[in-house]
């Protein structure tokens, strides 16, 4: 049925304009520029550590390319990749150009690629060896002179968290990190997630980093915060009068957040063995979604005000005793199965995975936020690899109307739902009941559906574009502050420690291509609920 968040006339004109219909290739209204109408980025040099890794080729370099293509990068811009491999500048450029051809959201022209690649350089270094930094320093200074980058630096650490401290120590001792009070030039560090391995390691990582850096120079990336649909959660909640009054335990029955992926661990078996699903997805991406759904309105849109409200949500999460962990959490690991009809191997058979591994590739939890707004409302979260499809959704289910007029029991009484489709098929749906035309009083749930693609066109930036751009501007709103990370670890570390005490049981394996362990269903059944089918 029904489809109908229709644009107003005014907006219709815009959404039909050639600009917005340009799809993947043409120019489009650049939301980055609109968001920062009054800011123009300073000249800057980006140094990517971990430049030979997948993230650099698939995400970071295509993001930089698209920023340049949109005119969002400063004119005076250079990027230097740092890794252990023996690349020449040209080898590196060639590999990155392949990455752009394969992964960029816009189709690159040879001319644009040529222009972009002339700003790419490579520096070979072992992260633990001071010599690499000693030679990096004059190399960057020379680039400053040639390209007018004025000593401004963004260091992107696309490496495992265990290497962060070593790299930052060397950067500092070689004069590559300046003090925050230096008004002539800046140095900022972007850190890939997860921030630490558990609560204690995150605390000591922070202590080590702050020996050399001010918190304002640390940008903890969580690329979910750079997604348009995630940013829209605050706009949806706080710029619309009709929802906010209902957004509490009087009207909301439960909230479900799912981050499902059909891919397995791909070439990252070694990373997964040391991390697992909770550290990879829940500690950061999923907890950020939870905060944005549950937080109070901030007093303004400054980074501090927004992050303060997110931290209050994390602080209000009930921590579980061991008995409660058994009751409210589930884990699982994929066994062989089928994805889109194709056979796939078990996690234990993946490359660089221990054949007896107990690492979780699926987790589900019931979370309680103990504050006035949410007391008594369960937040059910689940995430997993090798689930039937890729889908990230937030479903807010409202309480049923009394079974007096139109419904004789709960079974026939479909509750209202608001569904945020974070990806794919990005959009928002509202489900409500309607009378089916005819002489009988038949009631049926129907949907009002808003889809980004049909309304705004497809030219939205990738999350990494927005985040790198913000870091160049010095805006850390969409990055996680340290207390967000620590509070998330406070809740999750006891769960991980409890799980680590015992090997996976037989019923904790799920065939690839299914929705996780059957036990995850029972988590909701106890409260008479079911997961929304995706
Ligand atoms: C990354 C995780 O942070 O997010 C990956 O390390 C995961 O395991 C990826 O596949 C998912 O990102 P997206 O943007 O595709 O949802």
């Amino acid at each position: 049925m029904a489809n109908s968040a229709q644009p107003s006339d005014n907006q219709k004109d815009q959404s039909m304009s050639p600009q917005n219909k340009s799809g993947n290739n043409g120019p489009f209204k650049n939301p980055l520029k609109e968001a920062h109408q009054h800011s123009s980025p300073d000249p800057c040099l980006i140094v990517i550590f971990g430049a030979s890794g997948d993230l650099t080729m698939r995400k970071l370099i295509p993001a930089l390319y698209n920023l340049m293509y949109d005119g969002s990068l400063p004119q005076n811009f250079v990027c230097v990749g740092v890794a252990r491999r023996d690349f020449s500048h040209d080898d590196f450029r060639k590999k990155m150009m392949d990455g752009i051809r394969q992964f960029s959201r816009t189709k690159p022209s040879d001319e644009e690629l040529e222009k972009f690649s002339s700003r790419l350089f490579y520096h070979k270094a072992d992260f633990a060896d001071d010599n690499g930094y000693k030679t990096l320093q004059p190399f960057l200074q020379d680039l400053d002179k040639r390209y007018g980058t004025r000593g401004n630096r963004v260091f992107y650490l696309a490496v495992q968290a265990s290497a962060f401290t070593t790299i930052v120590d060397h950067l500092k001792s070689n004069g590559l990190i300046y003090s925050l009070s230096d008004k002539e030039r800046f140095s900022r560090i972007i850190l890939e997630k997860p921030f630490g391995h558990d609560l204690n390691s995150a605390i000591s990582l922070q202590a080590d980093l702050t020996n050399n850096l001010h918190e304002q120079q640390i940008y903890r990336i969580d690329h979910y915060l750079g997604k348009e649909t995630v940013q829209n959660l605050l706009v949806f909640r706080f710029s619309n009068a009709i929802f906010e009054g209902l957004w509490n335990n009087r009207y909301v029955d439960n909230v479900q957040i799912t981050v499902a992926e059909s891919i397995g661990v791909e070439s990252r078996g070694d990373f997964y063995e040391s991390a697992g699903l909770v550290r990879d997805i829940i500690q950061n991406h999923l907890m950020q979604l939870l905060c944005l759904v549950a937080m109070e309105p901030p007093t303004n849109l400054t980074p501090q005000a927004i992050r303060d409200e997110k931290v209050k949500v994390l602080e209000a999460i009930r921590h579980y005793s061991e008995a409660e962990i058994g009751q409210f959490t589930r884990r699982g690991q994929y066994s062989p199965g089928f994805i889109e009809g194709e056979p796939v191997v078990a996690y234990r058979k993946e490359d660089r995975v221990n054949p007896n591994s107990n690492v979780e590739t699926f987790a589900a939890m019931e979370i309680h936020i103990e504050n006035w707004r949410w007391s008594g409302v369960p937040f059910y979260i689940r995430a997993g690899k090798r689930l039937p499809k890729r889908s990230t959704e937030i479903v807010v289910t409202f309480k049923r109307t009394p079974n007096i007029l139109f419904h004789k029991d709960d079974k026939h009484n479909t509750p209202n739902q608001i569904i945020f489709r974070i990806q794919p098929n990005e959009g928002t749906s509202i489900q409500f009941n309607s009378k089916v035309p005819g002489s009988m009083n038949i009631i049926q749930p129907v949907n009002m559906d808003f889809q980004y693609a049909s309304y705004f066109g497809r030219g939205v930036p990738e999350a990494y574009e927005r985040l790198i751009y913000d870091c160049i501007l010095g805006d850390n709103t969409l990055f996680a502050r340290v207390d967000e990370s620590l509070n998330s670890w406070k809740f999750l570390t006891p769960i991980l420690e409890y799980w680590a005490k015992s090997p996976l049981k037989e019923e904790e394996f799920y065939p690839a291509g299914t929705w996780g362990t059957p036990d995850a269903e029972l988590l909701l059944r106890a409260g008479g609920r079911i997961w929304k089918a995706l």
Side-chain angles (χ1 to χ4, degrees):
M1 155 68 249
N3 227 336
S4 294
Q6 292 297 332
S8 68
D9 285 346
N10 203 357
Q11 290 161 321
K12 233 180 214 165
D13 286 349
Q14 289 173 13
S15 67
M16 293 304 169
S17 76
Q19 272 195 334
N20 279 336
K21 286 185 75 183
S22 65
N24 286 336
N25 267 330
F28 53 86
K29 267 172 89 183
N30 183 350
L32 298 185
K33 283 196 182 147
E34 294 190 351
H36 292 284
Q37 268 164 5
H38 306 296
S39 335
S40 60
D42 285 324
C44 138
L45 206 159
I46 295 197
V47 184
I48 303 177
F49 283 81
S52 55
D54 249 22
L55 184 72
T56 304
M57 175 170 158
R58 281 170 182 256
K59 297 285 184 189
L60 306 184
I61 293 289
L64 286 171
Y65 168 76
N66 280 300
L67 284 171
M68 187 205 72
Y69 178 66
D70 294 346
S72 301
L73 281 184
Q75 287 293 325
N76 302 349
F77 165 81
V78 181
C79 173
V80 177
V82 181
R84 267 176 286 244
R85 284 203 202 158
D86 228 347
F87 282 152
S88 66
H89 296 311
D90 278 343
D91 294 338
F92 180 61
R93 286 176 188 143
K94 193 170 164 304
K95 184 166 155 72
M96 296 304 112
M97 294 311 99
D98 288 347
I100 295 173
R101 283 195 197 93
Q102 223 180 318
F103 300 111
S104 163
R105 70 176 166 81
T106 61
K107 216 172 162 33
S109 72
D110 288 347
E111 195 191 336
E112 294 289 346
L113 273 183
E114 190 59 33
K115 187 169 150 206
F116 178 71
S117 79
S118 69
R119 299 297 174 103
L120 287 184
F121 295 88
Y122 184 75
H123 181 77
K124 180 179 181 236
D126 185 325
F127 304 151
D129 179 358
D130 203 49
N131 289 323
Y133 301 83
K134 287 210 157 41
T135 45
L136 181 63
Q137 211 254 17
F139 180 50
L140 299 187
Q141 276 179 347
D142 179 53
L143 291 173
D144 279 336
K145 278 189 212 128
R146 284 161 57 198
Y147 293 94
T149 39
R150 295 197 210 147
N152 292 331
R153 315 259 186 263
V154 168
F155 295 102
Y156 197 122
L157 308 197
V159 297
Q160 298 235 1
S162 52
F164 290 167
T165 311
T166 312
I167 295 175
V168 169
D169 283 348
H170 285 291
L171 289 175
K172 178 75 177 194
S173 62
N174 284 284
L176 286 155
I177 291 175
Y178 325 126
S179 125
L180 190 66
S181 59
D182 188 334
K183 297 294 170 224
E184 298 300 310
R185 48 196 189 154
F186 63 77
S187 46
R188 300 178 184 134
I189 310 275
I190 304 181
L191 303 175
E192 261 302 324
K193 48 126 272 244
F195 186 76
H197 190 72
D198 54 16
L199 180 60
N200 285 338
S201 63
I203 292 173
S204 33
L205 174 59
Q206 176 68 4
D208 291 342
L209 291 172
T210 46
N211 284 334
N212 296 318
L213 293 161
H214 188 282
E215 170 68 15
Q216 272 182 43
Q217 295 172 301
I218 305 176
Y219 289 69
R220 290 175 202 81
I221 205 160
D222 181 323
H223 78 278
Y224 265 55
L225 293 177
K227 290 181 190 277
E228 283 294 325
T229 41
V230 173
Q231 291 162 44
N232 196 38
L233 289 170
L234 288 194
V235 176
F236 181 92
R237 288 194 51 203
F238 302 132
S239 76
N240 293 303
I242 52 176
F243 306 113
E244 186 50 24
L246 308 176
W247 219 253
N248 55 51
N249 55 8
R250 254 187 95 185
Y251 296 101
V252 174
D253 178 78
N254 74 91
V255 177
Q256 298 182 13
I257 308 180
T258 301
V259 179
E261 293 183 281
S262 56
I263 54 171
V265 293
E266 300 187 296
S267 56
R268 300 195 306 158
D270 46 355
F271 166 70
Y272 243 73
E273 281 294 280
S274 68
L277 189 279
V278 168
R279 293 183 176 92
D280 186 35
I281 304 276
I282 294 188
Q283 194 272 342
N284 28 73
H285 305 330
L286 213 146
M287 294 309 256
Q288 286 290 346
L289 295 180
L290 179 100
C291 287
L292 293 169
V293 173
M295 68 191 261
E296 296 300 314
T299 46
N300 55 57
L301 292 179
T302 57
Q304 175 167 347
I306 294 176
R307 290 150 135 201
D308 284 351
E309 294 306 333
K310 287 199 283 173
V311 167
K312 283 185 208 160
V313 173
L314 293 164
E315 284 175 344
I317 291 179
R318 185 160 121 211
H319 292 185
Y320 292 143
S321 63
E322 291 209 341
E324 288 170 323
I325 293 174
Q327 186 185 348
F328 292 125
T329 74
R330 300 287 185 273
R331 65 174 166 169
Q333 189 191 88
Y334 59 85
S335 49
F338 293 85
I339 297 284
E340 289 176 3
E342 294 297 321
V344 296
V345 298
Y347 173 72
R348 288 180 172 183
K349 289 266 159 44
E350 298 275 15
D351 239 14
R352 288 180 278 175
V353 165
N354 173 352
N356 298 314
S357 172
N358 284 308
V359 161
E360 81 286 352
T361 59
F362 171 85
M365 299 179 189
E366 176 176 332
I367 292 182
H368 288 269
I369 301 173
E370 297 193 318
N371 61 18
W372 273 57
R373 189 189 279 264
W374 294 117
S375 174
V377 179
F379 282 68
Y380 298 106
I381 63 165
R382 64 177 166 169
K385 297 275 184 196
R386 288 288 189 224
L387 301 189
K389 61 194 287 218
R390 176 174 184 251
S391 176
T392 298
E393 277 198 12
I394 301 170
V395 181
V396 178
T397 301
F398 291 86
K399 293 188 170 160
R400 291 183 167 87
T401 51
N403 293 323
I404 294 174
L405 297 178
F406 296 111
H407 314 283
K408 49 183 187 314
D409 53 34
D410 279 0
K411 210 169 127 219
H412 297 89
N413 186 349
T414 310
N416 298 135
Q417 289 185 325
I418 298 182
I419 299 154
F420 300 95
R421 291 187 307 275
I422 303 295
Q423 63 190 22
N425 189 20
E426 290 79 356
T428 309
S429 297
I430 300 181
Q431 179 183 279
F432 57 97
N433 292 311
S434 179
K435 181 178 174 306
V436 177
S439 54
M440 311 273 282
N441 229 355
I442 301 176
I443 314 280
Q444 186 181 304
V446 297
N447 277 322
M448 274 202 313
D449 195 29
F450 152 65
Q451 299 193 3
Y452 279 75
S454 56
Y455 203 92
F456 292 123
R458 282 196 176 273
V460 283
E462 277 267 342
Y464 280 97
E465 292 172 40
R466 172 67 194 259
L467 296 172
I468 293 173
Y469 180 75
D470 279 5
C471 179
I472 299 175
L473 285 175
D475 180 346
N476 55 12
T477 317
L478 299 179
F479 293 81
R481 199 168 65 188
V482 63
D483 46 354
E484 292 177 59
S485 193
L486 296 183
N487 276 294
S488 179
W489 281 126
K490 267 186 204 158
F491 169 64
L492 294 168
T493 301
I495 298 172
L496 289 167
E497 284 171 355
Y498 177 78
W499 287 352
K501 283 191 209 162
S502 50
L504 286 163
K505 301 190 197 82
E506 208 180 315
E507 63 271 23
E508 288 178 312
F509 291 88
Y510 59 97
T514 63
W515 286 105
T517 58
D519 218 19
E521 296 290 332
L522 302 180
L523 194 63
L524 272 74
R525 291 240 181 99
R529 303 178 178 98
I530 51 167
W531 289 106
K532 169 138 186 12
L534 298 180

